[in-house]
Amino acid sequence: MRGARAFVGLGSNEGDAYGHLTAAFAALDEGAVRVAGAGRLVWSPYVGAPRGVLPPRVLNTVAEVRTELEPEALHARLSEIEQARGRVRDGRHTRALDLDLLAYDDVVCVTDELTLPHPRARQRAFVLAPWTEVAPRYVLPGSAHTIVEHATALLRDDPAQDGALRVATAPPFADRAAPCTRLTDRESLARWRDGCRGTVGVVMTMGALHAGHAALVQRAAAECDHVLATVFVNPTQFGEGEDLARYPRTLDDDIALLARHGADAVYVPSADDMYPDGLATTWEPSGAALGFEGALRPGHFAGVVTVVTELWRRTRADRSYFGRKDAQQLAVLAQVRAERALPVEIVACPIVRAEDELALSSRNRYLDGSTRLIAREFALALRGLGALAARGRDLDGVPMPFEPARDLAAVRAHLAGRGFGVDYLELVDPDTLAPCTELDRPRLVIGAARLGGVRLLDNRWLAPPAAEAP
Ligand code: PAF
């Protein structure tokens, strides 16, 4: 289903809050609606209770959906789901389930039943925090500002709200229980592809799958008629001395995860099937591939481009889903797609984080307990930069606008002091990865650092605080 793109706020503070949200995710993934993604669940204080009344905290998140329903019909569907979970509207300060239609494509409307975008969405950290995770670049209709800019403005104006949030857990996506056909060679892949009618989405992986990959499949299955995953530990993108031999291989678990999120088939080629004529790479790095990972890992992007373009050719995919955690890989692939005018749409999907903020990665399993505790400081440092950029003043309240060269150098030094080998930490244009000296609009800060033999890669959106709240 392609349908409209809409966002739903979910909350519960009565009885088994997690159970209510789990049921809501299942009900939202039926009929003319599909759940394409969601932020982590967060606990937040109840807002709006009269003095002296202290209702239980609320478990919240934001889900992105694809739907063929018109806004009014989707709004009615949300009320139905609330009622099925026993929502009672009698002025009480507890709700089994509260579902709000936050936004729907670029619709701006006010009717007796429905106001879009939701009038309070941009004033609530428990909405903007998970929304930033799932759709940072979505422009809130009628505002000309992205979700990450609204979140930055709220962080500047009311930092206590963000400080009161507690990340609880990953979103409870419904089990789609698709039978996932395993394809082991080019011939069976071609036969499977010939049998597809409608759109095909491909999710390429090297296996050792985690919730970050699950999010790609979740979205692909919400948007495409058929979803194919690939699992191939691609030797041509590993350099000498890198971890090709010990790269984790967990195929049975991988296939179970793919099926749960709605993949119809998985192509698991051997190296001979993938590269019948040897391992020659054919792409000369240029543009977005030259700095950062390209400079530190010679040959890496040539290997990635070789395997991805060959898989695009074999799968004839309409859409190809990649995570934003590998921001440079995404920029390089977008560049190659444009240079060769390839008929595939690249869909960039959000970074998925663990509860401790570390961006999920197959290599995180190499971190032992105590190293993991330190590793999270890398993610927290990037998050701290977001708060610094939003605040625009020092801890005494003296105006101190974010200054990339100075502030990034301070974070690099801090991380080095904590034992990280910082490869880079830079402010860049999110699409071209060109370094930026100014935070004049939303940008990415990208970083790579080594800790305990593991290389961590991460990035965060930074936005300048708007002169007025957007
Ligand atoms: O991002 C990855 O896991 C790999 O680089 C990819 C895109 C599957 C190519 O091997």
Side-chain angles (χ1 to χ4, degrees), residues 204-206 232 234 237 304 307-308 322 326 329:
M204 297 178 195
T205 80
M206 298 207 299
F232 179 62
N234 175 33
Q237 67 187 78
V304 170
V307 78
V308 168
F322 297 98
D326 296 309
Q329 168 170 284

Side-chain angles (χ1 to χ4, degrees), residues 203-207 213 216 230-238 247 275 300-301 303-305 307-308 311 321-323 326 329 333 362:
V203 175
M204 297 178 195
T205 80
M206 298 207 299
H213 301 103
L216 306 181
T230 68
V231 175
F232 179 62
V233 183
N234 175 33
T236 65
Q237 67 187 78
F238 286 77
Y247 197 84
Y275 293 117
H300 172 68
F301 285 124
V304 170
V305 167
V307 78
V308 168
L311 286 170
Y321 294 78
F322 297 98
D326 296 309
Q329 168 170 284
L333 293 174
S362 304

Side-chain angles (χ1 to χ4, degrees), residues 149 152-153 156-157 386 388-392 401-402 439 462-470:
E149 289 173 286
T152 305
R156 174 197 59 191
D157 296 341
L388 190 71
R391 212 170 42 226
F402 180 71
L439 185 61
L462 295 192
E468 307 163 41

Side-chain angles (χ1 to χ4, degrees), residues 142-430:
S143 81
H145 290 282
T146 58
I147 297 302
V148 75
E149 289 173 286
H150 286 290
T152 305
L154 188 66
L155 197 54
R156 174 197 59 191
D157 296 341
D158 192 355
Q161 269 204 53
D162 195 70
L165 296 183
R166 294 287 167 267
V167 174
T169 171
F173 292 121
D175 188 343
R176 289 173 170 157
C180 186
T181 308
R182 185 166 160 177
L183 311 165
T184 51
D185 52 40
R186 278 168 293 159
E187 292 73 24
S188 55
L189 171 63
R191 277 195 300 277
W192 177 85
R193 181 62 183 89
D194 288 344
C196 293
R197 298 286 166 268
T199 52
V200 172
V202 65
V203 175
M204 297 178 195
T205 80
M206 298 207 299
L209 304 186
H210 49 67
H213 301 103
L216 306 181
V217 180
Q218 183 75 26
R219 175 144 179 200
E223 295 182 345
C224 304
D225 298 307
H226 306 274
V227 175
L228 172 75
T230 68
V231 175
F232 179 62
V233 183
N234 175 33
T236 65
Q237 67 187 78
F238 286 77
E240 237 168 78
E242 292 187 10
D243 59 346
L244 173 62
R246 70 165 188 148
Y247 197 84
R249 282 148 172 99
T250 57
L251 190 58
D252 290 342
D253 290 348
D254 293 347
I255 294 179
L257 175 145
L258 294 169
R260 243 186 352 266
H261 290 274
D264 305 299
V266 54
Y267 175 44
V268 192
S270 64
D272 284 345
D273 189 64
M274 193 63 230
Y275 293 117
D277 304 322
L279 302 182
T281 55
T282 55
W283 188 68
E284 191 56 40
S286 63
L290 293 179
F292 309 116
E293 296 302 299
L296 290 160
R297 302 178 66 191
H300 172 68
F301 285 124
V304 170
V305 167
T306 303
V307 78
V308 168
T309 50
E310 179 58 14
L311 286 170
W312 278 339
R313 194 185 66 77
R314 286 186 200 180
T315 61
R316 288 169 271 147
D318 299 283
R319 299 190 195 108
S320 188
Y321 294 78
F322 297 98
R324 286 191 189 279
K325 178 172 154 291
D326 296 309
Q328 191 174 10
Q329 168 170 284
L330 202 50
V332 168
L333 293 174
Q335 175 187 320
V336 170
R337 191 202 73 92
E339 280 166 3
R340 302 189 190 171
L342 298 174
V344 61
E345 180 188 341
I346 294 179
V347 183
C349 300
I351 295 179
V352 177
R353 296 182 181 280
E355 284 159 40
D356 67 1
E357 290 300 306
L358 202 62
L360 297 188
S361 159
S362 304
R363 290 179 172 110
N364 287 355
R365 66 190 72 200
Y366 300 144
L367 294 165
D368 62 37
S370 55
T371 320
R372 168 110 197 183
L373 280 178
I374 302 175
R376 67 187 297 245
E377 291 188 26
F378 182 54
L380 291 174
L382 266 61
R383 182 176 172 164
L385 281 168
L388 190 71
R391 212 170 42 226
R393 46 191 68 240
D394 70 12
L395 293 176
D396 298 321
V398 177
M400 191 179 81
F402 180 71
E403 222 274 63
R406 179 197 61 206
D407 296 330
L408 292 175
V411 174
R412 276 187 226 113
H414 165 76
L415 290 170
R418 298 292 293 140
F420 290 88
V422 181
D423 286 336
Y424 55 84
L425 186 72
E426 293 292 343
L427 191 70
V428 297
D429 179 279

